[in-house]
Amino acid sequence: MASHHRKLNCLLVSCCFFVFLLPLSTSRPQQPSIASKVDEDYRTFHAENPEWTFNHLAVDYRNGNVYLGVVNRIYKLSQELDVLVSHQTGPEEDNRNCYPPRIVQPCSEALTLTNNVNKMLLIDYRANRLLACGSLYQGICKLLRLDDLFKLGEPFHKKEHYLSGVNESDSVFGVIVSYGDSSPDKLFVATAVDGRPEYFPTISSRKLARNSEEDGMFAYVFHDEFVASMIKIPSDTFTVVPDFDIYYVYGFASGNFVYFLTLQPEMGGGPAAGSSSANREQVFTSKLVRLCKDDTAFNSYVEVPLGCVKGGVEYRLLQAAYLSKAGAILARSLGVGPDDDILYAVFSKGQKRRPKETSQESALCVFALKEINERIKDRLQSCYKGEGTLDLAWLKVKDIPCSSALLTIDDNFCGLDMNAPLGVSEMVRGIPLFSESNDKMTSVIAYVYKNHSLAYVGTKSGRLKKVGACIILDYFSR
Amino acid sequence: MDYFWGMAVLLCGLWTPQRGADAQRAKSNVPRLKLSYKEMLESNNLFTFNGLANSSAYHTFLLDEEKGRLFVGAKDHLLSFNLIDINMDQQLISWPPSSSHRDECRWAGKDVQKECSNFIKVLQPFNHTHLYACGTGAFHPACAYVEVGKRPEDNIFRLESSHFENGRGKSPYDPKLMTASLLIDGELYSGTAADFMGRDFAVFRTLGKHHPIRTEQHDSRWLNEPRFVGVHLIPESDNPEDDKIYMFFRENAIDGEQTGKATHARIGQLCKNDFGGHRSLVNKWTTFLKARLICSVPGLNGIDTHFDELQDVFLMSSKDSKNPIIYAVFTTSSNIFKGSAVCMYSMADVRRVFLGPYAHRDGPNYQWVPFLGRVPYPRPGTCPSKTFGGFESTKDLPDDVITFARSHPAMHNPVLPLNNRPIIVKTDVDYQFTQIVVDRVEAEDGQYDVMFIGTDLGTVLKVVSIPRGTWHDLEEVLLEEMTVFREPTAITAMELSTKQQQLYLGSNIGISQMPLHRCDVYGKACAECCLARDPYCAWDGSQCSRYFPTAKRRTRRQDIRNGDPLTQCSDLQHNDEENGESTLLDKTVYGVENSSSFLECSPKSQRALIYWQFQRHGEDRKQEIKSDERVMGTEQGLLIRSLLPKDSGVYYCHAVEHGFIQTLLRLTLHVIPTDHLDDLIQRPPSDASHSSHAKLWYQDFLSLIDPPGPNSVDQLCEQVWKKERKQRRQKAHHLHASQSHAAQLLHTSQSNSSKWRLMQESKKGRNRRTHETPRAPRSV
């Protein structure tokens, strides 16, 4: 009865409308170094130096203040995008091959004045501070007071303080997880490792000390000689695919879990003899990674491929994602509750990342988190019946069969020291909302307004699209 | 069917008697003496512990010479045995896993009997009063201290059950996985798998006051699914700071090292004072290096046959503790080509390889090459010490050293065996080597290393390697092959007590104990003792007995190097022959014309060759018997098909070993012509010209040609043997000390299947000659 009703609803709700805006255009040269000008519809902000590209943006939901992570600067802007404070992070003398960084130990590599790319910008509400991690010195972080960007701490003398050696801003993601007042917060850090898996775990959970100067800041939540709160890509994987890496596009916490959305190469067939990795075309898969918030041994690690098919075209390269609530209308069509989490994701066409080719084809899709969790549970259950292998691309060199065990696996199962980490081989398909073939979609944000779920999509050319309340539910592609 | 089976038995036993050097060489690879399980038991050369009803897997041994105990770790149990006799005052500790761990193990889909028990994998001395023991604990490794008391008379064997420790990184989860461990100065070194799934292999150091340290995780350049065989401490210099830990293991070849999957044997090294790096390789070994151990036989076209599956390692320590000789047992990786080998390595060669070029490759599609660039200082693998420069600790090592060490754990050159080849190779047998222990024995003409090699069929080979001309040309002499378990089972543990002169053996089904030597079995003549070439034994003037280098030398005869009885025992030959012809076994056999006759004669020494001579009645000349289609020499004796009257005469059975000839048997054969047969049957057997033996034989013969059922033939054989035994007992004093069992059989029914069965019976009977009391005509 209910499902029949739902179907009907889904078919009815198949309208779409778009609002086109032109924000944040960087093509127009701006003379004043710090400028905020009031247009009729929107305000803009430009950094002092046009080469200082913007990397990350965080908005304090309590007051609307905007924090901006830019190359060499952290800005605090007002709601009106007026600069309130700026904090300098670079450039500094560095060489990315200096490990440990030269601020700890003299380095024999040639030092050059190096820009500090912002790789992670998180608001730590409980401690009222901003966590800003850069590319200098193997990815050390600053803890800045939210009010005035005063530097509360900058831990750098331990190897746990070097979070990531990559220079790109869009391959690292962090999620702060709070456990209530009694226990300290944790920081889940996920990063590409750039061929150096021995230095940087790809995902780890760290202690986020309340005191910004505390020695144990960013220490692994648990670490002994066997078990640690981290996932390391074995160096053997890099022996087979030297340019293997996992790129983290988005991350969030929901329920008992922490999720990351990744883009990772497939391991197809191993290294072809004689072919250099430069001209070999990598095939990528978008995968969601799930961990239990309380899992210190990382036995709960599960990953599942995500993608989207619309009109017979596969969209499988994740560009951006955003977690939102379903809202009553969308909830009905997805078969979930209005307050259930849903995931908006922008994919571009195919599975090959060709930076030079300008394929603009992209799609906005939506996933019910509940369904993803359900699929993960199915796979956990089948693996614990001894079906299939653990099947993880980054652990392919040590793939082993699932072993059966007499266990009841419920929604909150957090893994054992067997059958972990586990990969799901079958892709979970999102519901395509909207596709665009001229102006590639690159970012997404969403909210619920009067039972309607609304999404804003940013495009490559600097346009913003508003996608509202609508799903075109293609029944036959599900 | 019987016919074909018999034919096969017969053909297998066939060989052409030759006295040439070729034949001698062909026999050089067989054990001189083969002792069955029953022979071992009955001659008091074997004590056995046949296992507990609810236990198995007696694989983990710890020998304590001072307390005179052998400690054994098994399934759910720890045992303590008296070294003098393992059946005296045994002590037992029951240590099963907790029921909750057993349940968890079962829920995890593991086999309750085979996996969800506490298989003891680590048993090491902790201090003067305690041992440290770890077990799999039903896929939940746990360790505990075992109190054993200070002195042997304390008689304590107790598990400190109030204090269990986590056994992770010490014992594997899976009882099938191999672990090697060494507890020294309160620190436990162990090579094992440290996770439930058996993926995380590492070399650990745990216990002690330092932070645990291990090999890098999930890096196949360091360890690639290793199977650990042994861990040893070998000092590098007189400065203990330079002490190194060496571990022996086999593992999958590194990617790109070999096409396809292959196993390589390895020796790995670590510094005892390695505490890991400061920022990189934190709590990981910074001095780990490994090299391949080669044990191969050169082949035609330069393609060598490799023995890569390292099974066991024994370190033979000399006065110079820095330079023990490494004995290693290998098998082949092939399923169809079963072979085993023993190779010896010197520490000088090992150190040279670790000081040689590192293995390097630029990327996955590159070849492994020797690293020719600048190696950072201090050279990775060097222990921080005052001997080799100013580094106090591995934590002070420069980062370039750590980075280099991380990416170059393997050496480019392999360690080659002494003389570049194995000292023992066995390829033509149905067993493979599993274990080795070595004893250094003082003999009259020098020191010899006697190897005791365990096999997967529950046998022990005792082998001595003797220099032929120089030390580079070694002759392997297989002294004895002994069955030490009641059923074929792999020997998985071996310990040798030099104090007790005993060997202790472990398997899945139990524990056995045997002396290192049993000189009296070689025989009662000087020549036999000498031919045995057993460094433990010498002819003391009256018998073959244990040789002690300190005792009086005048009367002792021993020649390990040449085994030449002519030089050693020629002056004693007179004594041996004092009894003259009477020492020779004399037989008379009757055969019917056109029937077949089998003249049994086989030497005790498996190495001796038999040759036959024939002397026609009334003639002086002896002629050697050559095999043809009618007369066949077999290992058991001489088979004459279709007797002719001219076959009547005297047959001499001679054993030749190492150029020394012994006559074992003189046999007179009478051929009864067919036309006399009727007369014989009708005539009552009262002819005075025949001996009582012959009369008896006629009765047997008559019953044989009466229509016989197959059973009656067997009964007949039994009767023949019994009677013969009686005869022998009567003339026991005549028996030549060296002679082996000789018997005769006669068959009249040609092409009768029962004939073949008789052949089988005779073969079986010979094999079992000592374990069935009614048929125990042994002279020794």
Side-chain angles (χ1 to χ4, degrees), chain B residues 637-650:
Chain B
L638 192 69
L639 178 70
I640 307 171
R641 288 193 283 207
S642 184
L643 285 170
L644 299 173
K646 66 165 180 154
D647 292 330
S648 290
V650 183

Side-chain angles (χ1 to χ4, degrees), chain B residues 10 24 84 156 161 194 212 235 239 275 338 405 412 441 455 491 533 543 546 564 648 666 703 731 748:
Chain B
L10 189 68
Q24 193 66 50
I84 295 165
I156 298 170
S161 46
N239 180 0
F275 299 110
K338 272 194 166 188
H412 184 261
V441 186
T455 73
I491 292 176
R533 302 175 78 183
Q543 57 174 332
R546 173 79 172 107
D564 181 7
S648 290
R666 184 171 56 203
S703 64
K731 53 194 259 177
T748 48

Side-chain angles (χ1 to χ4, degrees), chain B residues 729-765:
Chain B
R729 221 179 277 142
Q730 284 159 2
K731 53 194 259 177
H733 64 281
H734 287 312
L735 290 180
H736 187 286
S738 70
Q739 64 82 33
S740 73
H741 171 71
Q744 77 266 33
L745 274 171
L746 179 70
H747 316 286
T748 48
S749 46
Q750 279 170 295
S751 68
N752 182 341
S753 66
S754 62
K755 176 171 86 180
W756 300 108
R757 185 161 326 134
L758 276 170
M759 290 292 298
Q760 297 163 30
E761 283 296 319
S762 83
K763 191 174 154 66
K764 281 188 206 158

Side-chain angles (χ1 to χ4, degrees), chain A residues 105 225 236 239 405-406 420, chain B residues 107 197 199 214 220 279 364 399:
Chain A
Q105 190 172 302
E225 57 275 31
D236 287 351
T239 313
L406 300 164
Chain B
W107 291 331
M197 288 178 283
R199 287 196 299 194
R214 59 168 292 167
S220 63
R279 273 181 210 88
D399 285 281

Side-chain angles (χ1 to χ4, degrees), chain A residues 100 104-105 159 198-199 225-227 234-236 239 242 271 275 390 395 398 400 404-406 417-421, chain B residues 107-109 168-169 194 196-197 199 204 212 214 216-220 255 279-280 282 361 364-365 399 403 406:
Chain A
V104 178
Q105 190 172 302
K159 76 180 177 84
E198 60 270 29
Y199 294 156
E225 57 275 31
F226 317 110
V227 180
S235 36
D236 287 351
T239 313
S275 77
L390 300 191
L395 208 54
K398 287 217 171 180
I400 54 166
S404 59
L406 300 164
D417 53 5
M418 62 189 292
N419 295 336
Chain B
W107 291 331
R168 194 168 189 172
F196 186 93
M197 288 178 283
R199 287 196 299 194
F204 294 92
R214 59 168 292 167
E216 181 72 292
Q217 207 167 11
H218 296 314
D219 188 337
S220 63
D255 168 63
R279 273 181 210 88
S280 181
V282 178
R361 88 173 164 170
N365 297 321
D399 285 281
T403 307
R406 182 197 290 281

Side-chain angles (χ1 to χ4, degrees), chain A residues 182-248:
Chain A
S182 55
S183 48
D185 288 353
K186 278 187 208 168
L187 171 67
F188 282 78
V189 182
T191 175
V193 298
D194 198 24
R196 293 189 288 171
E198 60 270 29
Y199 294 156
F200 307 106
T202 189
I203 302 188
S204 53
S205 67
R206 316 295 190 105
K207 287 173 186 157
L208 195 58
R210 198 63 68 86
N211 175 0
S212 300
E213 289 179 307
E214 199 175 297
D215 199 45
M217 183 66 91
F218 303 144
Y220 298 113
V221 170
F222 183 81
H223 191 194
D224 72 8
E225 57 275 31
F226 317 110
V227 180
S229 313
M230 65 167 86
I231 294 286
K232 271 195 174 183
I233 305 173
S235 36
D236 287 351
T237 302
F238 293 87
T239 313
V240 181
V241 181
D243 51 355
F244 185 89
D245 218 334
I246 304 178
Y247 305 96
Y248 292 87

Side-chain angles (χ1 to χ4, degrees), chain B residues 284-295:
Chain B
K284 308 267 169 68
W285 301 106
T286 61
T287 57
F288 175 80
L289 290 176
K290 66 177 180 183
R292 187 174 172 193
L293 285 174
I294 297 269
C295 186

